[in-house]
Structures are given as C-alpha cells and as structure tokens.
Amino acid sequence: MPKILFVCGSNRSRSPLAAAYFKKLAEDAGVVELVVESAGLRTNPREMICQEVSEVLAEDGLQPLQLGVRQVLPKQIKSADLVICFTSNQLEQLENTFLSAKRKTKTLMSILHSNAEIFDPVKGGAEKFRQCLRMMRPALEALAQRLL
C-alpha cells in the first residue's frame, strides 16, 4: 500500500490541509489502498492544527485527518513512498536530516514542474487558508491522477 507523507514546518496549516484534501482526491479517483499522513519539522506536541484548516476543509465537506500536530519521525520518512514538502528550505532540511528522504522528497509544486513555494497561511485568517489551498489544488490533483 503506497504511503504519502506531507511535511511542513509546524504541521499546523499546510501539511494537514494538503493531506486531507489529497486523500479525498485520491479516493474520488478510485485509489483507496493508500496511506496519507502529515507531520512537521518543528512541532510543539501540545498544539493543535489551526482552526482555519478545519473551516476551509469543511467548505468542501472534508475533515482533517488529525487534530493534534505530529513531529516528523525517521520511521515515517523511511516508510513513505513519497514525501511532499512545501518549500525548498523544507526539502533541504528533510534531505539533510533524514538520509532516507533523498530521492523520494519533492516540493508540492515541482509536481507541476514549478519552483513556486507554498506560503504559510498562519495568522492570515480563513481567506489566506483558502488562497493556500487554491494554490495547492492543481498539484494535488496532478499527484492524484498519477496514482491511477
């Protein structure tokens, strides 16, 4: 069963938003044998994902895959078939920290052959989260289609 791991800085905004939306896209495409998770490079274990993630997902009838944040662990990287991050700095940090991340980590927008970085919508309100999801959507859709 393939496993895709979405990793952002704190696991409070981009990665949980992308993971939940991507899982729904994959299921809609008929891919049910799939594990989708999210984690953060530097998390505070007492924190929860941003409320705006739940709000924006609910607009599409979705729910987050998790409510609390998760620190990325070596075993998650090792067991993932693909690790998706949102900026080139996150990619570099993942590949420098986890040897097993090399050759299976990419930025989300590189799926569309773009060097664009996905901005962090934290502290921008629900509209910034909507903008962030709109920016991610084409790459998430392309990734889901590649799973077919």
Side-chain angles (χ1 to χ4, degrees), residues 111-129:
I111 292 165
L112 299 176
H113 307 289
S114 169
N115 292 328
E117 310 259 304
I118 304 291
F119 69 93
D120 190 349
V122 168
K123 298 181 183 169
E127 184 52 36
K128 283 292 185 193
F129 280 79

Side-chain angles (χ1 to χ4, degrees), residues 23 35 39 45 53 58 69 83-85 107 109 129 134-135:
K23 185 169 174 97
V35 175
V53 170
V69 300
V83 179
I84 299 289
C85 55
T107 62
M109 297 307 285
F129 280 79
R134 280 194 298 272
M135 185 178 186

Side-chain angles (χ1 to χ4, degrees), residues 29-41:
V31 180
V32 291
E33 295 288 320
L34 178 69
V35 175
V36 179
E37 294 181 347
S38 73
L41 290 165

Side-chain angles (χ1 to χ4, degrees), residues 6-135:
F6 290 88
V7 178
C8 68
S10 67
N11 191 220
R12 295 190 66 232
S13 56
R14 292 169 286 189
S15 58
L17 187 61
Y21 193 80
F22 174 74
K23 185 169 174 97
K24 175 67 169 140
L25 288 172
E27 288 172 353
D28 288 350
V31 180
V32 291
E33 295 288 320
L34 178 69
V35 175
V36 179
E37 294 181 347
S38 73
L41 290 165
R42 45 186 192 287
T43 63
N44 178 342
R46 292 180 293 261
E47 288 188 323
M48 304 296 277
I49 65 168
C50 293
Q51 177 183 341
E52 293 90 346
V53 170
S54 296
E55 288 175 27
V56 170
L57 288 172
E59 292 168 3
D60 286 318
L62 304 174
Q63 294 180 347
L65 303 180
Q66 69 198 48
L67 294 178
V69 300
R70 292 186 194 136
Q71 177 72 33
V72 67
L73 300 172
K75 67 181 180 181
Q76 287 176 298
I77 299 289
K78 196 174 234 177
S79 67
D81 296 294
L82 179 62
V83 179
I84 299 289
C85 55
F86 301 89
T87 68
S88 55
N89 285 346
Q90 291 168 352
L91 176 93
E92 187 177 322
Q93 189 173 350
L94 281 164
E95 289 185 338
N96 288 337
T97 305
F98 304 100
L99 288 177
S100 59
K102 293 188 186 291
R103 292 182 297 279
K104 65 175 165 182
T105 302
K106 54 177 53 194
T107 62
L108 179 61
M109 297 307 285
S110 71
I111 292 165
L112 299 176
H113 307 289
S114 169
N115 292 328
E117 310 259 304
I118 304 291
F119 69 93
D120 190 349
V122 168
K123 298 181 183 169
E127 184 52 36
K128 283 292 185 193
F129 280 79
R130 285 185 201 97
Q131 290 173 3
C132 184
L133 181 58
R134 280 194 298 272
M135 185 178 186

